[in-house]
């Protein structure tokens, strides 16, 4: 699950972060969960390699 | 029946029908649209209702499009691939309901109405811990009748994956044109 992978990378993230500055999305098109928005002020967007 | 009035339908000979006010009532007002208006009748007023027939798993903290594979009705064939794209411009009353089918979790259950791929309206309810928390989002929305489309997304923040119910009574997406543009 994408959420778990991100939390493993950045355990300091909170549920509130996933409401305000990070949006994970799944369009039910078979492509799975993806990062639709990443606007965290200090943590960089994870790379595909980090999420693999 | 001294005030009895009649309505006469006259064929123009070209396949159209006109409504003419009775000639005996000179102050009778015909309220159909003027020459530029469109008369809305049951045949061109889109209405739809759909539900998912199979349980769908929703990842934690992830806006997930609900898959609607079963239509209860779709009067104007404007609903396909879990998306409503009305072909009549106007104002639509939309209702998007989603029910927790897992239970035993806390957090929030959020029902989103997505317009053209982005979150436009949403409603939030705390997960009660028991199966059955249902979040219903209702909104009056303008649709342009050509490119605008709506989808129903859900998000939950229980911390784990959870299922939403597969039932026409609890998890559904519906709408109807209430006023043409």
């Amino acid at each position: 699950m994408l959420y778990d992978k991100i939390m493993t990378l950045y355990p300091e993230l909170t549920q509130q972060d996933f409401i305000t500055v990070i949006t994970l999305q799944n369009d039910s098109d078979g492509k799975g969960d993806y990062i639709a928005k990443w606007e965290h002020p200090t943590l960089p967007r994870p790379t595909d390699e980090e999420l693999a | 029946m001294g005030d009895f009035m009649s309505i006469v339908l006259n064929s123009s000979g070209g396949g159209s029908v006109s409504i003419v006010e009775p000639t005996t009532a000179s102050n009778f007002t015909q309220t159909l649209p003027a020459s530029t208006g469109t008369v809305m009748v049951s045949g061109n007023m889109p209405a739809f209702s759909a539900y998912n027939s199979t349980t769908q798993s929703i990842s934690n903290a992830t806006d997930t499009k609900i898959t609607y594979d079963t239509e209860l009705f779709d009067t104007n064939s404007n609903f396909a691939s879990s998306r409503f794209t009305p072909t009549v411009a106007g104002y639509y009353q939309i209702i998007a309901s989603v029910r927790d089918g897992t239970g035993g979790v806390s957090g929030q259950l959020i029902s989103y109405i997505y317009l053209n791929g982005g979150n436009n309206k949403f409603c939030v309810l705390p997960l009660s811990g028991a199966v059955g928390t249902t979040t219903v989002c209702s909104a009056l929305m303008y649709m342009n009748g050509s490119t605008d489309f709506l989808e129903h997304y859900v998000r939950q923040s229980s911390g784990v994956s959870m299922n939403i119910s597969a039932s026409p009574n609890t998890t559904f997406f519906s709408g109807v044109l209430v006023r043409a543009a």
Side-chain angles (χ1 to χ4, degrees):
Chain A
M1 190 163 65
L2 180 59
Y3 172 82
D4 293 333
K5 292 178 179 178
I6 292 174
M7 289 305 292
T8 300
L9 284 171
Y10 300 128
E12 63 270 43
L13 288 173
T14 66
Q15 286 284 342
Q16 189 64 23
D17 289 326
F18 287 91
I19 295 174
T20 55
V21 294
I22 299 169
T23 300
L24 307 184
Q25 193 162 313
N26 186 324
D27 297 324
S28 298
D29 54 3
K31 297 179 181 177
D33 301 346
Y34 65 94
I35 299 173
K37 182 180 80 171
W38 188 282
E39 296 177 349
H40 196 280
T42 58
L43 300 175
R45 181 186 182 117
T47 64
D48 291 341
E49 289 73 23
E50 290 174 318
L51 297 174
Chain B
M1 302 289 286
D3 294 330
F4 177 80
M5 309 293 280
S6 63
I7 296 176
V8 180
L9 299 179
N10 290 330
S11 170
S12 66
S16 62
V17 174
S18 61
I19 298 176
V20 179
E21 304 91 339
T23 56
T24 54
S26 59
N27 62 346
F28 207 84
T29 302
Q30 189 180 52
T31 56
L32 289 171
S35 57
T36 57
T38 300
V39 177
M40 300 308 300
V41 297
S42 60
N44 61 5
M45 295 181 71
F48 77 98
S49 183
Y51 69 98
N52 61 340
S53 64
T54 58
T55 299
Q56 185 174 352
S57 177
I58 309 298
S59 299
N60 179 59
T62 303
D63 297 1
T64 303
K65 181 179 175 179
I66 298 179
T67 301
Y68 287 106
D69 58 4
T70 305
E71 295 177 355
L72 291 173
F73 52 84
D74 180 16
T75 63
N76 207 38
S77 300
N78 289 157
F79 191 83
S81 302
S82 307
R83 175 182 292 186
F84 178 56
T85 311
T87 52
V88 177
Y91 302 87
Y92 288 78
Q93 184 67 51
I94 303 298
I95 302 174
S97 172
V98 59
R99 179 179 185 267
D100 163 27
T102 298
V105 293
S106 59
Q108 293 180 328
L109 183 67
I110 307 175
S111 178
Y112 291 101
I113 299 173
Y114 267 46
L115 172 64
N116 301 332
N119 168 28
N120 190 268
K121 312 286 184 190
F122 67 94
C123 304
V124 185
L125 204 63
L127 288 161
S128 66
V131 174
T133 297
T134 304
T135 304
V136 182
C137 199
S138 179
L140 186 64
M141 305 181 72
Y142 175 78
M143 307 291 289
N144 66 12
S146 56
T147 58
D148 285 346
F149 63 91
L150 298 175
E151 297 163 306
H152 186 196
Y153 278 69
V154 61
R155 173 206 285 254
Q156 56 88 14
S157 59
S158 67
V160 297
S161 294
M162 58 171 275
N163 293 331
I164 56 173
S165 294
S167 163
N169 304 320
T170 54
T171 297
F172 60 85
F173 193 26
S174 62
V176 64
L177 175 68
V178 294
R179 185 188 189 284

